[in-house]
Amino acid sequence: MITPEYCQTMARYNAWQNNGLREMIPAMDHDDLYMDRGAFFGSIMRTLNHLLWGDMLWMSRFDGGAAPDIAIEDSFEMAPTPAVWAADRFRMDARITLWAQSVSAIDLVGDLKWYSGAMKRDFEKPMQICVMQLFNHQTHHRGQVHAMLTAAGQKPNDTDLPFMPEDA
């Protein structure tokens, strides 16, 4: 279904998209970033923080590293400022990239077992589905952020995967 190359491509795509956001977000007006725009998490910053939280949670399941120390209902407060978010996002993207560069085909076989604090129960799902969830979750929420940024008068970078620069 998916391969290590898929993981590497999607990690590159994730970093490319977030690099554009990391350049834009800290320069924006506080009110524009925190205004409730009707998205699931309300504002641009709340959505970006939730996405950072989700990436950290999934990566902790994949690489055994640090998991968020806050629950999903507090995920929108993960980073207290745009500058902190940008630094944390940079580190998270590096973690995802390092994992993707080291993942092998055998790592993507079998099931992943975990306890979901949000759902209050144990889960066991195919590893490939879980990896696809990581990247799909990113794309879903970045799409929301893209729409909110556009509504705020910003011009986010292109999001089309075929147009990702080779050096991204």
Side-chain angles (χ1 to χ4, degrees):
M1 189 182 315
I2 65 170
T3 64
E5 292 79 16
Y6 166 85
C7 298
Q8 293 158 16
T9 298
M10 293 307 294
R12 277 184 46 237
Y13 177 76
N14 172 65
W16 172 53
Q17 288 297 298
N18 287 330
N19 284 342
L21 294 174
R22 284 187 309 103
E23 292 172 6
M24 180 180 295
I25 297 301
M28 287 181 63
D29 180 72
H30 179 276
D31 291 344
D32 283 339
L33 289 171
Y34 290 91
M35 176 189 297
D36 188 334
R37 297 181 183 277
F40 187 79
F41 290 100
S43 73
I44 293 167
M45 280 309 302
R46 288 170 63 107
T47 303
L48 289 172
N49 272 322
H50 168 75
L51 182 50
L52 178 63
W53 178 90
D55 284 354
M56 189 175 190
L57 183 65
W58 280 107
M59 286 308 303
S60 72
R61 295 170 180 160
F62 300 160
D63 69 7
D69 58 1
I70 57 175
I72 191 171
E73 55 269 13
D74 300 320
S75 66
F76 52 83
E77 297 175 351
M78 185 97 173
T81 67
V84 170
W85 171 83
D88 288 349
R89 182 75 260 174
F90 180 78
R91 284 189 291 276
M92 188 73 248
D93 291 345
R95 181 176 171 186
I96 294 168
T97 298
L98 287 172
W99 170 80
Q101 289 171 342
S102 67
V103 75
S104 67
I106 196 71
D107 295 328
L108 300 172
V109 175
D111 290 342
L112 180 67
K113 298 176 185 180
W114 76 95
Y115 177 80
S116 169
M119 305 291 273
K120 306 291 187 232
R121 68 183 185 97
D122 291 316
F123 280 88
E124 181 175 347
K125 297 289 180 181
M127 181 66 169
Q128 292 189 2
I129 294 294
C130 296
V131 171
M132 287 188 290
Q133 169 60 22
L134 167 75
F135 295 120
N136 188 62
H137 185 254
Q138 293 169 344
T139 300
H140 166 69
H141 286 302
R142 264 197 314 264
Q144 292 174 326
V145 169
H146 192 279
M148 289 186 282
L149 287 168
T150 301
Q154 300 295 316
K155 181 147 177 38
N157 291 342
D158 188 9
T159 60
D160 293 330
L161 190 58
F163 304 123
M164 176 172 56
E166 289 298 318
D167 62 347

